[in-house]
Amino acid sequence: LFCVTDAMADDGIKVEIDGKAQTYDVMPVIENGRTLVPMRGIFEALGAEAVLDENTDTITAEKNGVRAVFDKVSGKVVMTDTYTYVQLRSAAEAFGATATWTPVPHEINIRY
């Protein structure tokens, strides 16, 4: 089970995987209706290895022989001066999870 919820405004977005609260170097964000999480943190939590190619602004992630590529053109990668974010739903679904979304509160449940 993988769950993302909005908490009170001062608490930000909460992320849980299999009931365990996740922490990242920076908080997840919602941009254009999409939940974005720090690249390294989410792929490590999903058990995948990820590499950022700064020349092409792409991320290649692999887990159990499954390879997924994320890029800025598709909007699945957002880069700032210091962090790279990836869409939560895309990252989870790339490795066979099913994602369901509940709009209020903002909640994504992902199950393998």
Side-chain angles (χ1 to χ4, degrees):
L1 172 68
F2 187 175
C3 177
V4 176
T5 59
D6 269 341
M8 301 292 279
D10 59 344
D11 289 336
I13 300 168
K14 305 284 186 191
V15 177
E16 289 184 5
I17 299 175
D18 290 331
K20 182 179 177 190
Q22 303 295 299
T23 57
Y24 304 110
D25 292 342
V26 293
M27 292 296 298
V29 297
I30 298 173
E31 184 175 292
N32 296 325
R34 296 178 175 160
T35 303
L36 303 170
V37 290
M39 174 196 91
R40 186 164 315 283
I42 192 60
F43 286 122
E44 286 177 358
L46 292 171
E49 293 188 27
V51 176
L52 170 65
D53 182 336
E54 293 182 14
N55 294 322
T56 61
D57 291 336
T58 60
I59 297 169
T60 301
E62 293 189 46
K63 176 183 176 181
N64 298 330
V66 175
R67 184 178 194 188
V69 178
F70 303 83
D71 60 38
K72 287 176 67 173
V73 175
S74 66
K76 293 179 181 177
V77 172
V78 174
M79 301 173 88
T80 67
D81 290 339
T82 54
Y83 290 94
T84 300
Y85 293 86
V86 65
Q87 282 183 20
L88 176 60
R89 178 184 295 265
S90 297
E93 289 180 350
F95 299 109
T98 301
T100 55
W101 176 65
T102 305
V104 179
H106 180 79
E107 181 175 289
I108 299 172
N109 292 300
I110 299 175
R111 299 180 189 274
Y112 284 95

